[in-house]
Amino acid sequence: MSDLEGRVAVVTGGSRGIGAAVVRRLAADGADVVLTYRDAADRATAVVDEVERLGRRGLAVQADVRDPAAVEAAMEAAAARFGCIDLLVNNAGVFPVATIEELTLEDYQEATEIHVRGVFAGVRAALVHMPDGGRIVTIGSSLAERVPDAGLSLYSLTKAALVGFTKGLARDLGPRGICATVVHPGSIDTEMNPADGPHADGERALTALGRYGRPDEIAAMVAHLCGPGGGYVTGVALTVDGGATA
Ligand code: NDP
């Protein structure tokens, strides 16, 4: 039997990049998977097709994480289709880069709505459907730990907030056997941060391994935390960054 056989997962922002890799990996490990997306309906449908080719059930739901009602409706749809939500992976995100002199309050509003309020709303809505023993894994960033360049204050602020939130979740949900963790990726080759992008050489140079990570390398950590190996891991952030923060 696969590690996640019979489990139901929801992955926000599962249409591409790290989220899509997490969807594929959780399905390969036996879970049925609901993914959300903002715009990319075709790509979301293609990822669901991959889930189904793995012999699992999949569902794509359009839900902008800036809209708490849409997030709640997505969790309702997941539970209505598959019965519950055992595993929640908060992954949807954007990468605003600007210095503090350039940033506006509107930028702040947008980034916190996506990375902070969106996660808060998703967790609240998913918990209604989460049985004891569930898992909540939130994708942070190594930039919450170390900020190696200018222009990252807003992004780092939002990702650092997730660590405090997750520690609180661990305390609130421990009595139900629900584990909450953060995974901090370093430089991962996606459309958000392509390994051949303008800043890629500088990012690569920061790593101990001298290379970008792949989305499936983040998915492997998420799958570990969602599986039997994650049963005593809660209230912590785990960094998967090729040694960039070493
Ligand atoms: P991508 O840009 O490749 O993918 C982003 C995903 O998030 C897409 O599925 C997108 O949906 C979805 N999304 C974006 N905004 C919203 C929204 N408002 N509502 C719902 N879904 C949304 O990014 P990555 O895969 O690289 O990043 C995934 C996560 O990993 C993010 O939280 C990011 O901050 C974090 N991260 C990434 C790193 C990297 O180097 N790549 C490093 C550290 C952290 P759609 O396709 O519909 O637009």
Side-chain angles (χ1 to χ4, degrees), residues 12-19 36-41 43 63-66 90-94 114-115 139-142 155 159 184-193 203 212:
T12 68
S15 46
R16 55 199 168 90
I18 292 170
T36 70
Y37 64 96
R38 180 186 52 194
D39 301 316
R43 300 170 79 171
D64 190 325
V65 294
R66 289 172 294 188
N90 298 301
N91 165 78
V94 293
I114 294 173
H115 288 160
I139 304 299
S141 167
S142 62
Y155 184 77
K159 292 298 191 176
H184 283 322
S187 298
I188 306 300
D189 184 15
T190 67
E191 287 165 42
M192 179 183 284
N193 186 10
E203 292 189 40
Y212 264 54

Side-chain angles (χ1 to χ4, degrees), residues 85-234:
I85 300 171
D86 297 292
L87 317 168
L88 172 65
V89 181
N90 298 301
N91 165 78
V94 293
F95 190 39
V97 177
T99 65
I100 189 64
E101 294 95 340
E102 296 160 347
L103 286 164
T104 65
L105 289 173
E106 288 71 29
D107 296 327
Y108 173 87
Q109 177 85 4
E110 163 107 358
T112 53
E113 280 184 5
I114 294 173
H115 288 160
V116 183
R117 193 181 69 183
V119 172
F120 182 84
V123 168
R124 283 186 74 243
L127 275 172
V128 175
H129 309 286
M130 187 173 285
D132 291 359
R135 305 282 164 81
I136 299 168
V137 181
T138 300
I139 304 299
S141 167
S142 62
L143 297 175
E145 297 189 287
R146 178 164 183 249
V147 183
D149 209 345
L152 300 168
S153 63
L154 178 57
Y155 184 77
S156 298
L157 177 161
T158 61
K159 292 298 191 176
L162 299 171
V163 177
F165 180 53
T166 297
K167 288 176 187 283
L169 288 179
R171 293 291 181 186
D172 287 351
L173 302 175
R176 291 174 54 185
I178 295 174
C179 295
T181 48
V182 173
V183 171
H184 283 322
S187 298
I188 306 300
D189 184 15
T190 67
E191 287 165 42
M192 179 183 284
N193 186 10
D196 59 358
H199 307 293
D201 286 342
E203 292 189 40
R204 222 179 333 267
L206 287 174
T207 69
L209 295 177
R211 68 171 177 87
Y212 264 54
R214 300 184 308 272
D216 64 277
E217 292 177 309
I218 302 303
M221 175 61 89
V222 173
H224 176 72
L225 293 170
C226 288
Y232 199 56
V233 185
T234 193

